[in-house]
Amino acid sequence: MSNSNHHTDHATLAEKFNRDEARVNWHDETLWFIRQKRDRAAWSLGNEWEPLRETASAIKAHTLSNLSDYLQQFEKAAQQNGITVHWAADGEEHNRIVHGILAKHNATQLVKSKSMLTEECHLNDYLKEKGVEVIDTDLGERIVQLAEEHPSHIVLPCIHWKKEEIGELFHKHLGSPEGVIDPSFLTNTARVHLREKFLTRRVAITGVNFAIAETGEFVVCTNEGNADMGAHLSDVHIACMGIEKLIPKREHLGVFLRLLARSATGQPITTYSSHFKKPREGQEMHLVLVDNGRSTQLGREDFRNSLKCIRCGACFNTCPVYRRSGGHSYHTAIAGPIGSILAPNLDMRQYKDLPFASTLCGSCSNVCPVKINIHEQLYQWRQVLTEEGYQPKSKTVAMKAMAATLSKPSLFSIAGKWGRKVMGLVPGLVSNRLNPWYKQREMPAPPEQSFTEWYKQNRKGGKS
Amino acid sequence: MSSRDAILQKVKAAQPSLLPLPSIEKQPREVDAVKQFQAVLESIGGKVVFLNAEESIAEKTVALFPEAKRIVSSITAVQNYFFSDYKSLRHHSLQDVDVAIIEAQFGVAENGAVWVTEEDLKIRVLPFICEHLVAVVDSTTIVATLHEAYERIGASAYGFGAFIAGPSKTADIEQSLVLGAHGPKSMTVFLLH
C-alpha cells in the first residue's frame, strides 16, 4: 500500500492539503459539525457528564497502576473461556502471530473490521507480502483500501473523500454505474460486495474496544455490524488489542460505553456493542495482546496518561489544526492531537514534528472523555524533543535569535524600533513565503511606536 | 524469556504505585423510562410498536412486513417461525432471511438499546444477517441507564452478548446517514405491556 508520507513533515503535508481551499473549508466544517453533535450528546446527560469523565479517567489511572496484575487476571479468565491468548512485544511479532494462525488453517483470505492497532502494526502490508488477501469491511476503511490509502481519521476513515470520488472509485472497482454518487446507492453497492466476502471467508479479524480483566471477555463496538458479520460467520476469529484496552470489571463498561459514542459521533451508543466471551461452538477464538511501545509510554510519567485513550476521535474533530490539515498530514496511523503524543514514543526522529502541529489551545483536553491532558503533553513533548536534539531546524535558529533579543532590554528596544521601520518601508521582507506566519495571512501594519515609547509619552507626570 | 514474561516484567517496572479504583456514582433519574426508550430509539432510526398480551407477535410481524418471504424466529413461542433445526442449521444459510424475530432481556431508556445473549438468539449471527430485525421486549424491563443495565446483567454467564440499538448504519460517505450498512435495514421493537 502506498505511503509516500514517511519522509515529509506535518507542515509540508498540510500545505499540500491546503492548496484546495474549498476542500479544506468543507473538511473543517464537516468535522466541526460532528464536534457539535458531540456537544449536544454530552449536554443531554446534564450534570452527569463531568463526573462520568472523572470516573472514567480514574478507572483508567487505577488500571494502568495495576496493569501487570490485570493482564494476568484477564489472560487466565480468557483462557478459561476457551480463548487462545497470544502476547506480542511489537508490531512485527503481532503480524507474525496472526500469520501463524492463518498458516495453520491454510487460510489465504480474511475479512477484517476496524482495528487501529493493525494499522499501527502495518498488518495489511505484511499479510499482502505473504500472499494473504485482507478485505477491510468497515465501509470507510474499504473505500480507502480500494484507493490504496490509509484511514485519515480513526473513527471516520474516509472523512477526506467526496462522494463524487467515491462514486468514481466504486465504478472502477465494484462496477457501479458511472456518475452515480448517491450515498444510499453507493452504500448498498458496498453492502452487496462485502456480503459475499462475509459469506465466503473463514477467518475474521476484529479490533477490541474494551477487555474485561474480571471476566476475560472483550467488547467490540460498530455501527455497521461488520465486526459481528465477520466474527460470527468465521471458523476462526482473531481479535487484536493493545494492552492498555483493559478495564477491571464488567460494570465499568457502563461508564465507558456511555462516553464512547457520545464523544465520537454524538450518538447515545453505537448500534452494536458486542461482548465476546467464549468462541461459538466449533469456532476457534484467538486474542493477541500487543505492547509495541505501550510499556515504554507507561514508564514516561509525563505521557503515561495518553494510555487512557479509548480512541473516540473527539480530539480530532475539535482540533483547529487537524480540521484544516487533514489526517494524512500526520503521517502516522493515529493522527490528530492524541496521535501526536503517541507517535513520538514509538519513534522520536520520525515524528519529531507532530507535537508542534498544534496551537496548544486546549480544546482537545476539554473534550477528551477520559480527561487526558493532551495539550499539556504536546507541550511537554516539545521540551523533550528539544532536549534530545530533535527540534526542527527552522525553529532552532529563530528561537536562538529570540532568546538573545529577549534577554537584553536594550537590544529588544533597538530590534523593535528597526522592525517597525523596516516593516513599514519594505513590507515584502516579512510578507514573504520565508516567513511561515505570512502564509494564508496578511501581516498587520506596524505600529508607529512601541508600548514603552507610548507609555513614556502619556505618563510623563508620573501618575499611574 | 517469552514475550509474555518480558512484557509483564516491563509493565510491572513501568507502572506507578497503586491508585484507587473509584466507585461508580449513579444519579437517580426521574424519567418515564418507556417514553424515553421510545423517543431515543426513534431518534436513532428504530421503530417502536406496542403490543397487548392478546396480540400475536407472528401476525403483527406479517402485517408489518407483508413482502417478507423468509421469517425466522429464535423465540420458541412464535411457533410458525421458530427454527427448531437451529442446532444443525448452517449459519450462512440465514443470509436470505427477510425478518428475524428475537427476544431481548431488557431495554435501556437513555440509548434505546436492547440486551440479547447467545441463549436468546440461538444463533449469534441472526440479528446481524437479516434484512429486518424485530426484537420483543417486556416494557416493564426498561432500565434508565447503562449503569442499571450492567447491574442487571451482573455476573451472568454468556458466550456472547450484545446491546443492539437501532438498524445497522453508516455515515462514511460525506456524513450522509444510510440505514442498512451490513446488517438489518430496520429495527422494530415490540414493547409488550
Side-chain angles (χ1 to χ4, degrees):
Chain A
M1 213 174 265
S2 72
N3 194 342
S4 55
N5 294 349
H6 267 141
H7 304 289
T8 9
D9 67 345
H10 178 270
T12 313
L13 294 163
E15 195 173 343
K16 219 165 94 189
F17 186 73
N18 270 267
R19 277 180 208 145
D20 187 345
E21 196 177 327
R23 182 186 285 261
V24 174
N25 290 341
W26 165 76
H27 189 263
D28 178 27
E29 283 157 19
T30 308
L31 289 156
W32 188 249
F33 170 69
I34 300 163
R35 154 73 209 261
Q36 288 172 315
K37 286 205 293 187
R38 171 257 171 221
D39 288 347
R40 285 193 292 274
W43 297 335
S44 77
L45 289 193
N47 55 13
E48 284 182 83
W49 184 255
E50 288 304 320
L52 207 51
R53 288 175 73 212
E54 288 286 351
T55 307
S57 191
I59 293 171
K60 282 282 187 178
H62 163 79
T63 313
L64 292 171
S65 76
N66 193 31
L67 191 58
S68 61
D69 281 1
Y70 280 133
L71 281 165
Q72 291 170 77
Q73 190 191 356
F74 173 73
E75 178 192 41
K76 202 173 154 202
Q79 284 168 342
Q80 277 167 358
N81 293 336
I83 302 174
T84 309
V85 179
H86 308 259
W87 298 75
D90 53 26
E92 219 279 316
E93 188 173 11
H94 161 266
N95 295 345
R96 254 189 293 130
I97 289 168
V98 171
H99 183 248
I101 300 166
L102 294 168
K104 196 184 98 190
H105 291 273
N106 293 317
T108 54
Q109 294 178 315
L110 62 90
V111 284
K112 177 160 79 72
S113 71
K114 208 190 278 161
S115 152
M116 291 319 296
L117 177 73
T118 61
E119 285 290 326
E120 177 189 315
C121 299
H122 306 289
L123 177 70
N124 284 17
D125 293 340
Y126 180 91
L127 291 180
K128 196 176 171 185
E129 270 173 38
K130 302 271 179 199
V132 177
E133 178 213 52
V134 178
I135 302 280
D136 281 321
T137 57
D138 172 83
L139 175 58
E141 283 209 324
R142 185 66 184 136
I143 289 167
V144 292
Q145 188 180 38
L146 287 173
E148 299 192 348
E149 274 188 6
H150 291 282
S152 69
H153 188 296
I154 56 174
V155 174
L156 318 156
C158 69
I159 192 71
H160 60 296
W161 274 70
K162 305 210 85 162
K163 57 183 178 219
E164 291 79 9
E165 295 159 338
I166 297 167
E168 210 171 292
L169 187 78
F170 278 17
H171 171 64
K172 190 176 151 201
H173 292 278
L174 308 181
S176 63
E178 201 167 0
V180 172
I181 58 165
D182 174 55
S184 298
F185 188 93
L186 294 175
T187 300
N188 195 55
T189 303
R191 177 188 172 98
V192 173
H193 158 69
L194 288 167
R195 187 157 276 233
E196 188 268 328
K197 311 291 179 204
F198 287 128
L199 290 168
T200 51
R201 299 323 189 239
R202 291 161 42 227
V203 179
I205 294 181
T206 68
V208 170
N209 289 90
F210 304 99
I212 320 300
E214 176 189 48
T215 60
E217 72 196 296
F218 58 90
V219 175
V220 183
C221 303
T222 74
N223 280 319
E224 299 183 5
N226 56 318
D228 288 282
M229 283 291 278
H232 301 319
L233 289 172
S234 72
D235 298 335
V236 181
H237 176 186
I238 307 168
C240 305
M241 63 176 268
I243 53 174
E244 84 285 18
K245 286 286 157 85
L246 225 52
I247 54 176
K249 294 174 177 183
R250 191 186 268 170
E251 66 182 42
H252 295 142
L253 288 167
V255 174
F256 290 100
L257 291 182
R258 291 188 87 190
L259 287 163
L260 178 63
R262 287 186 174 98
S263 299
T265 55
Q267 293 171 257
I269 191 169
T270 49
T271 304
Y272 305 108
S273 311
S274 298
H275 301 48
F276 293 88
K277 190 152 175 267
K278 294 173 183 169
R280 200 183 66 236
E281 213 183 297
Q283 187 193 38
E284 218 177 278
M285 195 179 273
H286 296 264
L287 193 127
V288 191
L289 285 163
V290 185
D291 181 349
N292 203 33
R294 286 161 177 79
S295 56
T296 308
Q297 190 86 322
L298 185 64
R300 298 186 204 266
E301 202 184 333
D302 288 342
F303 306 111
R304 179 179 294 147
N305 280 345
S306 62
L307 296 173
K308 293 178 178 177
C309 177
I310 57 171
R311 304 288 191 267
C312 71
C315 62
F316 290 50
N317 305 340
T318 202
C319 177
V321 175
Y322 175 85
R323 281 188 277 123
R324 300 197 70 85
S325 61
H328 288 155
S329 65
Y330 292 79
H331 57 95
T332 174
I334 298 169
I338 186 68
S340 302
I341 307 173
L342 298 173
N345 173 55
L346 290 172
D347 188 338
M348 280 197 216
R349 184 176 302 279
Q350 195 180 340
Y351 302 115
K352 62 179 184 289
D353 54 316
L354 294 185
F356 294 89
S358 166
T359 64
L360 303 183
C361 72
S363 188
C364 44
S365 306
N366 289 335
V367 297
C368 178
V370 287
K371 301 197 80 162
I372 301 170
N373 55 335
I374 303 173
H375 73 294
E376 287 169 9
Q377 291 191 38
L378 286 165
Y379 178 70
Q380 281 156 332
W381 262 122
R382 293 181 186 186
Q383 325 278 311
V384 173
L385 289 164
T386 306
E387 273 164 27
E388 307 268 328
Y390 290 117
Q391 204 190 29
K393 265 269 148 45
S394 60
K395 295 231 193 274
T396 319
V397 177
M399 287 294 166
K400 273 190 183 145
M402 194 169 83
T405 314
L406 290 180
S407 65
K408 296 188 182 68
S410 59
L411 188 60
F412 175 73
S413 158
I414 293 167
K417 208 163 261 172
W418 277 98
R420 285 187 297 281
K421 276 218 175 99
V422 172
M423 260 179 91
L425 292 171
V426 208
L429 204 62
V430 281
S431 306
N432 65 44
R433 301 200 64 81
L434 290 177
N435 177 5
W437 273 95
Y438 178 61
K439 289 176 194 171
Q440 283 86 35
R441 281 189 195 90
E442 289 298 331
M443 292 303 282
E448 294 289 325
Q449 51 185 180
S450 72
F451 175 74
T452 313
E453 287 164 349
W454 177 89
Y455 187 84
K456 277 184 186 154
Q457 220 169 58
N458 288 279
R459 291 277 183 266
K460 271 222 171 96
K463 283 175 266 174
S464 58
Chain B
M1 200 193 300
S2 69
S3 285
R4 175 192 183 274
D5 295 345
I7 293 168
L8 285 171
Q9 202 176 80
K10 257 189 105 181
V11 167
K12 192 156 179 101
Q15 72 194 25
S17 41
L18 190 66
L19 292 162
L21 178 64
S23 56
I24 300 170
E25 278 174 47
K26 276 156 286 204
Q27 301 189 15
R29 284 193 157 203
E30 300 288 325
V31 290
D32 181 336
V34 173
K35 218 167 156 182
Q36 196 193 6
F37 176 81
Q38 180 182 10
V40 175
L41 184 57
E42 284 171 354
S43 77
I44 55 176
K47 294 179 196 117
V48 173
V49 172
F50 288 91
L51 224 61
N52 293 321
E54 315 84 66
E55 284 181 284
S56 144
I57 292 165
E59 279 169 29
K60 196 80 190 175
T61 305
V62 173
L64 282 174
F65 301 97
E67 313 273 301
K69 289 193 188 74
R70 187 174 178 200
I71 299 175
V72 160
S73 181
S74 57
I75 309 172
T76 331
V78 184
Q79 283 167 3
N80 292 351
Y81 301 116
F82 177 63
F83 51 16
S84 48
D85 59 342
Y86 70 90
K87 278 191 178 143
S88 57
L89 200 68
R90 193 174 129 77
H91 298 184
H92 297 67
S93 71
L94 296 169
Q95 54 127 338
D96 61 349
V97 167
D98 294 300
V99 185
I101 310 170
I102 60 169
E103 187 169 9
Q105 296 181 11
F106 63 89
V108 186
E110 70 160 325
N111 56 28
V114 300
W115 173 253
V116 292
T117 67
E118 185 167 23
E119 218 173 301
D120 311 309
L121 301 170
K122 310 281 190 288
I123 294 179
R124 291 183 186 188
V125 82
L126 179 65
F128 306 99
I129 201 170
C130 56
E131 290 286 299
H132 300 278
L133 179 65
V134 171
V136 182
V137 188
D138 186 332
S139 63
T140 60
T141 65
I142 312 286
V143 296
T145 70
L146 272 182
H147 301 307
E148 282 87 4
Y150 279 103
E151 251 169 35
R152 217 193 132 115
I153 293 169
S156 63
Y158 49 75
F160 173 76
F163 283 109
I164 302 180
S168 150
K169 65 176 125 179
T170 180
D172 273 344
I173 302 177
E174 282 200 18
Q175 285 300 295
S176 303
L177 182 67
V178 179
L179 301 184
H182 298 295
K185 294 171 176 169
S186 79
M187 181 197 191
T188 309
V189 169
F190 285 181
L191 269 184
L192 303 179
H193 65 160

